[in-house]
């Protein structure tokens, strides 16, 4: 209505029909708040029609513009007559029928009060709205608020997967300062409950896992000692989701990330091994070897499971070295893949050692190992030594400046050299115009001030020096000055001094033997 004069005439000519109009509209002032007033009048008519006739209703609407007394009386009568949802009307209508538009609630407030805050479900109309055909615009309006309100919507519509999906998508779009991270564990556990309730809905699982990773990752970034939900609560849900959606590669990546967080918080290998997780990971590495994210996250999860575990049955991991080698060969220039692969191969090479092996909580030897012929390094069999040694050396050459990579690779080489002279010879024999000894010296020069890297190098040298046939190679390579430097520089490390001293004694003995023979 653009003509104010026409509007005034129309408003005055039929006051009965115009009684539902907001007070400000009579002065040619319109806004969305005016619609809220009119909606309030409609709701008032519907809720009071059982005891108020048409004329009384018109007078009530008109009087409400100037005095709320009449409205209060009608609301009391509603409660006395037990009109359905009278309590909601008592809360809602006085807010909708505020004379001053600035004090009147918005339509979003109306929806939230009606469908969330007061759990409006008793009447047939409300039940229909909570059924399968809930209008999406209403859901979206409810979700265009803050985190607390969105979580309230999720709880109120817990059985509706489409509502959960839209709510979590909204939360994922929020910046961290609005999301209120870190969340208390009660809210994290609520997400786990949603995953369990809607396990068969992949979109809900994707959003829930993404949100869990974001919240848990933020919590651990702020406080590494933060506690995640108990393993007994979250692990079965994640395993069940993984089994329910075996072809959903994006979902598998997220589940791997969450399981890695859980495993890093408390040892869960026993339960996860019984659940067949090792076999699942290896199957995925085989099936989805071209999916880099699955490979990286699968290797990271294997590391998290193995690093502090006590394994009784090695059988589920027997295929691991070969599959990991294939994955690393598929990504020959991928530094992160090399780092993850070397870490897991090192741990696999230790599987079967007595408790106290570096980096492991302890291992129990599988009785079947005693019946096997030929040496093995944990799960790595003799016929795989050559391939694994090459992978370790190639990974070191790929990126020597990554401390974790070189540490794990050199310790893995030491584990292989400890049980196999053939593996040890492969380390020192020239390959690609340089031997492993040349590479070792380059690594030392790059990390000579890092005791951890130096210790890994020295552990390998000690294993190499234990073989008489390799000592001449060590002497001819000029490694002795390097070992002497280590022996002299790291006097505070008893292990380093011991390993370096043992290598020097073996080199000296070999030199004397060689000179005596001449």
């Amino acid at each position: 209505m653009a003509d104010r004069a026409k509007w005034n005439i129309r408003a005055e000519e039929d006051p009965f029909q115009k009684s539902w109009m907001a007070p400000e509209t009579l002065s040619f002032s319109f806004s969305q708040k005016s619609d809220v007033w009119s909606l309030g009048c409609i709701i008032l008519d519907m809720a009071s029609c059982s005891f108020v006739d048409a004329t009384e209703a018109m007078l009530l609407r008109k009087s409400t513009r100037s005095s709320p007394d009449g409205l209060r009386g009608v609301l009391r009568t509603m409660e006395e007559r037990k009109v359905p949802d009278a309590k909601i009307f008592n809360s809602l209508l006085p807010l909708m029928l505020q004379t001053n538009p600035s004090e009147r609630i918005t339509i979003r407030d109306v929806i939230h009060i009606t469908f969330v805050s007061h759990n409006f479900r008793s009447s047939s109309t409300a039940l229909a709205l909570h059924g399968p055909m809930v209008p999406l615009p209403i859901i979206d309006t409810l979700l265009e608020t803050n985190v607390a309100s969105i979580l309230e919507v999720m709880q109120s519509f817990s059985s509706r997967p489409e509502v959960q999906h839209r709510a979590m998508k909204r939360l994922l779009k929020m910046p961290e300062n609005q999301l209120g991270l870190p969340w208390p564990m009660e809210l994290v556990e609520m997400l786990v409950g949603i995953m369990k309730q809607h396990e068969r809905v992949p979109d809900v699982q994707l959003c829930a896992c993404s949100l869990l990773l974001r919240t848990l990752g933020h919590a651990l970034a702020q406080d590494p000692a933060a506690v995640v939900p108990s393993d007994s609560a979250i692990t079965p849900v994640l395993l069940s989701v993984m089994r329910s959606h075996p072809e959903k590669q994006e979902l598998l990546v997220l589940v791997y990330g969450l399981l890695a967080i859980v495993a890093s918080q408390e040892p869960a290998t026993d339960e996860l091994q019984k659940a067949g997780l090792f076999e699942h990971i290896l199957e995925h590495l085989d099936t989805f070897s071209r999916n880099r994210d699955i490979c990286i996250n699968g290797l990271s999860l294997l590391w998290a499971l193995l690093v502090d575990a006590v394994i009784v049955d090695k059988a589920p991991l027997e295929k691991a070295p070969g599959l990991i080698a294939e994955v690393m060969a598929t990504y020959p220039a991928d530094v992160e893949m090399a780092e993850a692969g070397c870490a897991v191969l090192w741990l696999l090479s230790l599987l079967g050692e007595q408790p106290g092996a570096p980096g492991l909580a302890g291992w129990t030897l599988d009785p079947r190992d005693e019946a096997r012929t030929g040496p093995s390094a944990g799960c790595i069999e003799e016929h795989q030594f050559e391939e694994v040694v090459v992978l370790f050396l190639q990974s070191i050459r790929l990126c020597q400046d990554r401390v974790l990579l070189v540490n794990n690779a050199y310790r893995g080489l030491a584990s292989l050299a400890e049980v196999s002279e053939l593996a040890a010879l492969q380390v020192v024999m020239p390959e690609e115009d340089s031997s492993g000894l040349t590479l070792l010296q380059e690594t030392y020069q790059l990390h000579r001030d890092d005791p951890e890297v130096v210790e890994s190098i020295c552990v390998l040298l000690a294993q190499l020096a234990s073989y008489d046939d390799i000592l001449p190679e060590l002497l001819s390579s000029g490694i002795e000055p390097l070992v002497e430097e280590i022996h002299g520089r790291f006097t505070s490390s008893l292990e380093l001094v011991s390993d370096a001293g043992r290598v020097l004694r073996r080199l000296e003995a070999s030199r004397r033997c060689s000179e005596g023979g001449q």
Side-chain angles (χ1 to χ4, degrees), residues 15-201:
F16 183 88
Q17 296 299 327
K18 299 298 185 289
S19 61
W20 46 263
M21 293 169 52
E24 67 273 10
T25 62
L26 300 178
S27 301
F28 205 68
S29 175
F30 306 94
S31 69
Q32 288 186 347
K33 295 289 189 74
S34 306
D35 296 332
V36 172
W37 175 283
S38 298
L39 178 60
C41 289
I42 294 171
I43 294 173
L44 177 60
D45 279 4
M46 294 174 64
S48 62
C49 63
S50 62
F51 59 89
V52 175
D53 62 27
T55 301
E56 290 173 333
M58 184 270 292
L59 295 173
L60 173 62
R61 292 191 296 269
K62 293 181 68 174
S63 67
T64 302
R65 294 172 182 162
S66 57
S67 173
D69 293 340
L71 176 61
R72 284 197 288 264
V74 170
L75 294 176
R76 280 196 301 271
T77 305
M78 285 184 193
E79 287 198 348
E80 292 169 358
R81 290 174 172 263
K82 297 183 180 178
V83 172
D85 299 302
K87 290 184 178 180
I88 297 179
F89 298 137
N90 266 288
S91 299
L92 184 65
L93 290 174
L95 299 174
M96 297 180 72
L97 299 175
Q98 286 286 330
T99 304
N100 187 340
S102 64
E103 297 176 2
R104 204 175 298 154
I105 59 174
T106 65
I107 192 63
R108 182 182 300 166
D109 296 328
V110 172
I111 293 173
H112 190 270
I113 291 171
T114 304
F115 293 103
V116 179
S117 296
H118 286 80
N119 203 18
F120 185 64
R121 299 184 183 185
S122 61
S123 69
S124 58
T125 302
L127 285 172
L129 285 174
H130 279 265
M133 300 304 293
V134 175
L136 291 180
I138 289 181
I139 297 298
D140 291 336
T141 300
L142 289 171
L143 296 175
E144 291 176 2
T145 50
N146 55 32
V147 172
S149 296
I150 293 172
L151 294 173
E152 194 175 4
V153 171
M154 293 173 71
Q155 290 176 321
S156 297
F157 293 83
S158 61
S159 63
R160 302 298 310 280
E162 74 275 18
V163 175
Q164 304 302 317
H165 180 225
R166 296 173 88 88
M168 288 187 286
K169 284 180 66 176
R170 170 76 176 125
L171 290 171
L172 285 169
K173 291 178 181 179
M174 284 186 168
E176 289 188 357
N177 61 334
Q178 292 183 22
L179 204 51
L181 298 176
W183 284 5
M185 283 304 109
E186 295 80 19
L187 298 182
V188 175
E189 289 165 0
M190 185 191 79
L191 286 179
V192 175
I194 290 170
M195 293 176 65
K196 186 175 182 179
Q197 186 173 1
H198 303 291
E199 181 182 306
R200 297 290 179 178
V201 186

Side-chain angles (χ1 to χ4, degrees), residues 156-306:
S156 297
F157 293 83
S158 61
S159 63
R160 302 298 310 280
E162 74 275 18
V163 175
Q164 304 302 317
H165 180 225
R166 296 173 88 88
M168 288 187 286
K169 284 180 66 176
R170 170 76 176 125
L171 290 171
L172 285 169
K173 291 178 181 179
M174 284 186 168
E176 289 188 357
N177 61 334
Q178 292 183 22
L179 204 51
L181 298 176
W183 284 5
M185 283 304 109
E186 295 80 19
L187 298 182
V188 175
E189 289 165 0
M190 185 191 79
L191 286 179
V192 175
I194 290 170
M195 293 176 65
K196 186 175 182 179
Q197 186 173 1
H198 303 291
E199 181 182 306
R200 297 290 179 178
V201 186
D203 287 342
V204 169
Q205 301 304 324
L206 275 169
C207 284
C209 287
S210 298
L211 202 52
L212 275 176
L213 272 177
R214 186 175 178 187
T215 56
L216 295 179
H218 186 279
L220 293 173
Q222 284 196 338
D223 179 12
V227 179
V228 302
S230 64
D231 176 66
S232 59
I234 192 171
T235 301
V237 174
L238 293 174
L239 291 173
S240 184
V241 168
M242 187 171 62
R243 295 190 195 99
S244 299
H245 306 281
E247 301 302 319
K248 297 292 182 180
Q249 298 180 44
E250 184 181 358
L251 183 57
L252 289 176
V253 171
L254 297 174
V255 170
Y256 280 174
L258 288 167
L259 285 172
I261 291 177
V262 173
S264 70
Q265 290 281 296
E266 54 179 275
T269 307
D270 185 53
E271 178 183 347
L272 294 173
Q273 183 180 359
K274 290 177 181 177
L277 183 57
F278 289 145
E279 291 94 333
H280 280 301
I281 297 173
L282 297 178
E283 180 184 348
H284 295 154
L285 289 178
D286 187 21
T287 305
F288 304 116
S289 60
R290 294 292 176 179
N291 186 317
R292 181 183 180 276
D293 289 338
I294 283 184
C295 292
I296 285 284
N297 284 274
L299 292 173
S300 298
L301 178 55
L302 279 175
W303 163 266
L305 294 173
L306 293 173

Side-chain angles (χ1 to χ4, degrees), residues 273-425:
Q273 183 180 359
K274 290 177 181 177
L277 183 57
F278 289 145
E279 291 94 333
H280 280 301
I281 297 173
L282 297 178
E283 180 184 348
H284 295 154
L285 289 178
D286 187 21
T287 305
F288 304 116
S289 60
R290 294 292 176 179
N291 186 317
R292 181 183 180 276
D293 289 338
I294 283 184
C295 292
I296 285 284
N297 284 274
L299 292 173
S300 298
L301 178 55
L302 279 175
W303 163 266
L305 294 173
L306 293 173
V307 70
D308 290 315
V310 177
I311 301 295
V312 175
D313 184 10
K314 293 195 303 183
L317 294 167
E318 287 179 347
K319 296 181 180 179
L323 287 172
I324 293 170
E326 291 177 13
V327 168
M328 293 175 70
T330 304
Y331 303 89
D334 192 315
V335 175
E336 289 185 34
M337 195 71 71
E339 185 172 88
C342 286
V344 178
L345 285 174
W346 169 52
L347 292 182
L348 291 173
S349 74
L350 296 174
L351 187 57
E353 292 191 8
Q354 295 300 315
L360 298 178
W363 303 96
T364 303
L365 187 64
D366 189 331
R368 288 172 291 183
D369 291 340
E370 299 177 0
R372 293 178 179 151
T373 58
S376 66
C379 283
I380 304 175
E381 299 297 329
E382 184 178 19
H383 68 277
Q384 298 171 318
F385 286 176
E386 179 179 357
E387 182 179 24
V388 175
V389 167
V390 169
L391 284 172
F392 279 138
L393 293 174
Q394 287 177 344
S395 297
I396 297 170
R397 289 189 181 97
L398 181 62
C399 194
Q400 288 198 64
D401 61 350
R402 292 181 79 103
V403 171
L404 183 60
L405 187 155
V406 297
N407 266 332
N408 291 329
Y410 279 120
R411 288 190 177 271
L413 288 171
S415 294
L416 298 179
E418 182 180 12
V419 299
S420 170
E421 185 174 3
L422 180 63
L425 283 168

Side-chain angles (χ1 to χ4, degrees), residues 443-462:
T443 304
Y444 175 76
Q445 293 304 322
L446 187 62
H447 299 281
R448 62 196 304 269
D449 294 322
D450 188 326
E452 190 175 0
V453 176
V454 174
E455 182 179 334
S456 299
I457 291 172
C458 207
V459 169
L460 174 58
L461 285 173

